[in-house]
């Protein structure tokens, strides 16, 4: 689940079965800066538990300004967003999600909410996030434990909260969000409304946000 939003695997630390990777077609050689991430997403699409992190530090990774990741950061981000867009499309398709087409911009904002240029785009990202949560849990229901399902839902709640928070702090006026100073009767913001419904215990946090914007 977390790999939809960022690559948390250090490529030099990975050991894998070559025959499994060959079955998937190997690395995509048209990708220059995140071919590893794209491969991990394909592996996880096949089986969400196909990658396991061992509980010890196995590598020290030196980072510097002249590394390929640093020099090609913009290209890497764009390629990663495209790879993630394909992975999300596959997950939605496999569970017969028919709630409209998926765009690259939606995925880019979902992965990097602070880059949004409007509250509407954050609401669209929130809708995509909930679609993805439903499809991911449906697809992997038989593979996940109850604790793992609960963790996915908790993470989704936190991401909804982040989207709603950015809407208030970046676009925080009544005209754009539909929120009033009492907490927003009517609530035109989908992200804010979803956060209220999914996390009622965050009421004081939401009140503080409104009072300080």
């Amino acid at each position: 689940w977390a790999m939809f939003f960022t690559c948390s695997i250090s490529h030099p630390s990975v050991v894998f079965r070559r025959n499994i990777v060959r079955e998937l077609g190997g690395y995509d050689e048209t990708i220059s800066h995140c071919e590893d991430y794209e491969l991990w997403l394909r592996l996880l699409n096949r089986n969400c538990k196909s990658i396991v992190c061992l509980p010890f530090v196995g590598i020290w990774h030196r980072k510097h300004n002249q590394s390929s990741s640093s020099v090609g950061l913009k290209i890497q981000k764009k390629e990663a967003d495209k790879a993630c867009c394909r992975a999300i499309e596959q997950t939605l398709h496999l569970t017969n999600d028919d709630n409209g087409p998926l765009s690259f911009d939606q995925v880019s904002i979902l992965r990097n909410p602070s880059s949004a240029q409007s509250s509407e785009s954050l609401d669209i990202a929130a809708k995509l996030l909930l679609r993805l949560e439903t499809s991911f849990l449906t697809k992997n229901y038989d593979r996940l434990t109850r604790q793992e399902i609960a963790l996915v839902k908790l993470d989704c709640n936190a991401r909804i909260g982040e989207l709603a928070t950015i809407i208030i702090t970046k676009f925080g006026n009544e005209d754009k969000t539909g929120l009033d100073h009492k907490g927003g009767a009517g609530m035109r913001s989908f992200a804010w409304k979803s956060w209220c419904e999914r996390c009622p215990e965050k009421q004081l946090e939401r009140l503080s946000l409104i009072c300080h914007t």
Side-chain angles (χ1 to χ4, degrees), residues 73-89:
L73 187 60
K74 290 184 178 180
I75 297 174
Q76 185 181 57
K77 181 186 180 303
K78 187 173 182 179
E79 289 182 343
D81 285 348
K82 285 183 177 179
C84 186
C85 188
R86 287 195 296 270
I88 291 176
E89 280 183 330

Side-chain angles (χ1 to χ4, degrees), residues 51-96:
I51 297 177
V52 177
C53 293
L54 300 178
F56 64 85
V57 176
I59 186 173
W60 290 102
H61 191 182
R62 185 171 67 94
K63 294 188 175 182
H64 54 88
N65 293 334
Q66 299 305 313
S67 68
S68 60
S69 295
S70 298
V71 172
L73 187 60
K74 290 184 178 180
I75 297 174
Q76 185 181 57
K77 181 186 180 303
K78 187 173 182 179
E79 289 182 343
D81 285 348
K82 285 183 177 179
C84 186
C85 188
R86 287 195 296 270
I88 291 176
E89 280 183 330
Q90 291 169 354
T91 300
L92 297 178
H93 175 70
L94 287 172
T95 53
N96 298 316

Side-chain angles (χ1 to χ4, degrees), residues 37-60:
Y37 180 46
E38 191 273 340
L39 177 60
W40 311 150
L41 287 173
R42 277 188 283 139
L43 282 166
L44 291 168
N45 183 60
R46 181 177 181 175
N47 181 347
C48 68
K49 290 192 172 182
S50 61
I51 297 177
V52 177
C53 293
L54 300 178
F56 64 85
V57 176
I59 186 173
W60 290 102

Side-chain angles (χ1 to χ4, degrees), residues 1-2 4-5 110 113 122 125-137 147-165 190-199 201-202 206:
W1 167 259
F4 284 122
F5 308 99
L110 179 60
L122 288 165
K127 292 177 183 178
L128 173 59
L129 177 62
L130 296 188
R131 288 169 58 192
L132 179 60
E133 178 197 40
T134 299
S135 292
F136 179 83
L137 292 178
Q147 183 180 13
E148 289 167 337
I149 291 172
L151 288 172
V152 169
K153 291 181 178 180
L154 281 173
D155 183 77
C156 189
N157 288 348
R159 294 183 189 281
I160 284 287
E162 180 186 15
L163 293 168
T165 298
F190 176 84
W192 184 270
K193 182 179 180 180
S194 298
W195 191 30
C196 291
E197 291 175 349
R198 292 175 64 108
C199 304
E201 75 282 0
K202 298 289 186 180
R206 287 189 286 271

Side-chain angles (χ1 to χ4, degrees), residues 5-39:
F5 308 99
T6 186
C7 183
S8 55
I9 299 173
S10 177
H11 196 187
S13 70
V14 174
V15 176
F16 56 70
R17 290 185 174 89
R18 184 167 50 184
N19 63 312
I20 299 298
V21 172
R22 281 181 170 173
E23 286 178 12
L24 289 176
Y27 289 102
D28 185 341
E29 296 182 6
T30 66
I31 300 175
S32 60
H33 285 76
C34 75
E35 67 281 1
D36 55 327
Y37 180 46
E38 191 273 340
L39 177 60

